Structure formats: C-alpha cells, structure tokens
Amino acid sequence: MSIVTLQSVQKQFGLKTLLNQASFSLDISDKVGLIGTNGSGKSTLLKMIAGLEPPDGGQILINSGIRTVYLPQDPDLDENHTVLEQVFAESGEDMNLVRDYEQISAQLLHDPTNTALSARLSEISHRMDDCGAWELETKAKIILTKLGIEDMEARIGTLSGGYRKRVALAAALLSEPDALLMDEPTNHLDALSVEWLQNYLNRYRGAILLITHDRYFLDQVTNRIFEIDRGDLYPYNGNYSYYLEKKALAEESAASTQRKHQGILRRELEWLRRGPKARSTKQKARIERAHALRDTEFKQAHGRVDIATPTRRIGKKVIELTNVSKAYEGRTFIKNFTYEFSPEDRIGIIGGNGVGKSTLMDIITGRIQPDAGKVEIGGTVHIGYFDQNSEALFTAMNDKQRVIDYIKEEGEFIKIADGTQISASQMLERFLFPGSQQYAPVENLSGGEKRRLFLLRVLMGAPNVLILDEPTNDLDVQTLSVLEEYLEDFAGCVLVVSHDRYFLDRVVDTIFAFEPGGTLHQYPGNYSTYLDFKKAEEVSSSQLQDSQKPKQGQTKELPIPTNTNHKVRKLSNKEKREFATIEGKIAAIEVEKAEIEQVLISPPSDFVKVQELYEKLESLNQAIETATERWLELAEIES
C-alpha cells in the first residue's frame, strides 16, 4: 500500500535545481536509502515530506491517518528535559502515562509521606496496567541503553551533540510511526550501536526513508535506493549492492550510446563539410538530421569527485610516540602508549565514544600536550588533519567569504602528481563545485558541502601524513568511495578514526583498539579481520572458563587469598545514584502496600478483585524484600 506519493515535485535553491519533476511512491514495506552528493537535495527532500519545507511545484500526498516522524541531523531538544522526559515528550497517551509515573515517582523520593502523590501514583499505575504502558517504559530504557545512554535522568542541556542525537533517535524509534524519515542516523554511533540499530530496523514494520554514509548499513537495511543527481531522481529496486551493479550497467550503456552517437555525428559532419551540390528533399532531410545530432546533449556521468592533489616527499622518520599518557579529571584515556609510525602505515583507530581517540590525534598534531611521554615528528612530515569537529570547522570558515577565495588562501595554482598545473577553480570543479557555486558565499553551502570544501583545502596542502577523524560524517557515499581510492595510492602515512566499518575495511591494514584503562591493543588487518580476532578471543576465553569449571561430582577448591593489601571496592557513579534513590522507592512501595492492606480490611464483594489485590500485595512484598536486600548490599560497600 502506497502511503506517500510525490508527483512532479520541483525544488530550487537559488539558481540550483535540487529536484526536477521528481515522482515516486513509498509503500508501507519500503526501506529506502537516499543517496547523492552533498548539496544534491537529500535533506531537503526529507524536510518536504515531513512538511517542514514546501515544494516549488508538484504535489506531495500523504495518506490520511499516516503518521510520519522526522529525525534531522541536528535535532532541536528541550535542554531542561531529562533524557526520559525528552523521549516521552511528543509521544501518545500511553507514553504520557509513563512520563507522569516517572515524574511522580521522583517527587515521592523527596516526599515519601505525601498521600496525595501516592494516590495519584496508584491511579496511574492501574491505568498503565490496563494499557500495557509498563512495556513501553522498559522498551525506552532498552533502546537508550543500546544506543549508549545509561544516565536516564541526565539533563539534555548537559549532553554533547552526539548524545543529543542518540536521544532523538531513541524517541523516533520508540514512537513507531508509519513512516520513519532519518537523516544520518548512524552519525555519532559506535560500531556496536550501529549493528544494533541495523538489526532493529530490519525488524521494523513501517516504511523507512533514510540518508546515511554507512554502506554496510545501507546494504543490510534497505530494499530500494533513490539517487538524486543534478535534479533528477533515479529509483533502484534493490539494496546498495544491487544499486552499484545496475548503476555500472546503466553508465556503461549510456557511454556506449554516446560513443555510437559521436561516430554517427562525425560521419554526418564529414558529409556536410563536403558540401553536397544538389539540394534534394532527401539531402535536406539528412542535413536537418545532422544538425539535430550535433545539437543533442548527453548528460555526463553521475557527479563524481576527482581527487588529484600535489604530493610531498616523506622521510623514514615519521611520528614516534614514547610512553605517552593522558588523563582528565582522574580518568586515564591513554596509558604508556609507544609506537613508531612508518610512511606505509594505514592505521584505523577504534573504540567507544569518549575513550580518547580524538585526544590521541590532538596529541600527535600538537594541539594538546601529553601528561607524560614524548612525541617526536620527523623533519619532512607535513600533517593534514581532517577534524571531525564540524562546529569548530564551520566557525573557522568565514560565511561571507566566497568559496573560491577560501581555496585560494591555500594557493591559486598547484602542481598535481602527474606534473600538471591547475587552478583553484579547476580543483573546485573536480570536487563538484561548479562555477556558479564558486563565486557564492560559503554560507550558501550545505553542511556536507562545507566538509567536502574543507577536505579539498586539506589535500591541497600536500600532506604526507593524513589524519582523518571521523571522515565519513557528513560526506556522501560518492565522495567516500573516491577518497578510498585516493588513499590506496596515497604516498604517505594514514591514520583514521572511524566507526564506519566499510571505510575501515577499504582503507586500513592495522587496527588500534582502545581497551579499558587507556591501553591500545594492536590487531593486524582491517576491521573485519579485527572482528574475527575478537570472536576467536571470546571462544578461547569461553573454553578456558569451561575447562576451569569443576567436573560433576568434584568440588573446585577456591584459592586462599594471600594478598590482603587489595583495592577496596567502592560504589560506581551508577550505584551511588541507585543508593541515593532506593530508600525512596522502598517507601513508595510500602505506601502502595499500605493502601491495599487498608482496602482488604473491608474487602470488596467481588472475589476476582480480592484475589487480584492479594496477588498484588504478594508482589509488593517481594519487591520490598528485593529492594531492601539491594539497599543492604550497597550500604555495606558504602561503609
């Protein structure tokens, strides 16, 4: 069943045509990947379907009763909300009950004897029982945890941009709309979270239209691909692999057709130049056909970045790190890291968010100093640093400056690897910035186009050590594929921080994985090889544990501890929060228990109702016992 239909939709941005007579329909079972170069109109199309941007022409029809949810790249959240409040903020009645329950529970923690609050909590609890809202709360917490958010009571205003995006993603998933519109949902997610999201969307029953640079994700989740290229929209009925196959065939066919056309045109032009003497009707028709052939225009191959930049010699000594350590606020991010980088290194650096990957890059580039250890840079080294911090990048750009002037600051002419000297304007054209864009202000560019422009400037500096910190964020798949080819032939050292599995598989031959405590573990091979190593380690660890288990009929002797100078166990931050709230929770349960006991003093005549009350009472007694045992356990550690 078609739920969203576009009919001859047109959209202009200044002089640039984003969509020209675009038509398609979205069925309830469709999972569509939207691809195209940065600035081609992908985000604009999502906004138009979401009703946030009007089309300049044509119609966008959404079936009545169909609910769509739009997840932008930079979601607008209420900074005063907690994580859970934000997730429940724009949900239905069931979710409102969960939100009210959470708020009243929090109030009871501070005022456990408030009978009015207790009565209200009891009423909401019954309503949640009736509609099954308890499952929604559990599901919300599971989704947030899977996306790497553990503190449900944290204020949105205290979260980084990446964590805000995760909260917005959790809210979108939890609302379960008929059509889910997502702009770069995998940005800021680590590999485990991306894999979980991939599996979640595979089971999702509604329609999905998403923009993503993650090609493994695109391949696994989608069953259709829409490509936007210079105003035209091309649909492909298959996943990303199918799209690549069909696109290659289409471009080969188009090239063949153009070659045949050029051959015919060449012969016709030769005939015209001979100047036929007789002007018969047949000859006039041939002349008209020759002119028509000459005037026929072919659309060039799909927009594709061409990376050809200057090179610089690199010596044997590149970068040497010796016993480098770095800590912040008592937490060690990097501990005694020693490594000597070589000119041929292709290294991928991986780890969860906030473990210290960007910190290591900043130490290498001299932006920050290590707490201990030494960093030595070779005399011939010239570092090109493609930073993931888009906000800092955009701030450094002068929005009023023309695009071409921004590039000319690096050089008006450069000599590329084949010895050819080309201008800044030609370099911009190779990076898909046509003449009309080159003299426009930087502020007219999309976020992805600004990132592509910055990448061009970095490469024009002729680096021989290239550091790419999350390069796949905001760059389109076409640019990424060309960048991967460029890096294969790059004559220098490459360090990549990325969560993009496809990019790491294509580019690197060594993985540095951050382990707990700031240790970096080295694995040979690309990301897929690293996963094989991790699986082998898990199997080996499991077999070792099994071998250490006592056989049936045997009792395993426990070793007698000889070192009494062991580290004292302390409460974690999460346990401290739990300890601070658990007494209030026990009090709230006891209030509810007292209410039921009061009712049972003069029980209702309905036997079924009485039975339900006794079962509820038993459940509350069990909850009080469990919570009390947990309180005693935490209290013992705290003391």
Side-chain angles (χ1 to χ4, degrees), residues 11 32 97 109 166 231 267 320 390 422 424 440 446 487 511 523 542 556 593 603 612 619 630:
K11 188 65 180 178
V32 181
L97 286 174
L109 292 178
R166 295 179 191 205
R267 290 192 294 273
E320 296 179 4
S390 294
I422 60 176
S446 69
L487 293 176
I511 293 288
Y523 295 86
S542 176
K556 184 175 179 181
K593 175 188 172 185
E612 288 176 354
S619 173
R630 180 60 174 161

Side-chain angles (χ1 to χ4, degrees), residues 1-6 24-32 63 66 178-180 204-209 223-224 226 237:
M1 179 185 75
S2 177
I3 58 174
V4 177
T5 304
L6 271 69
F24 69 81
S25 62
L26 192 65
D27 291 344
I28 193 67
S29 60
D30 279 340
K31 292 180 171 63
V32 181
N63 287 8
I66 293 298
D178 302 294
L180 191 53
Y204 191 76
R205 294 185 178 180
I208 297 172
L209 181 59
N223 55 26
R224 297 181 74 190
F226 291 165
N237 292 321

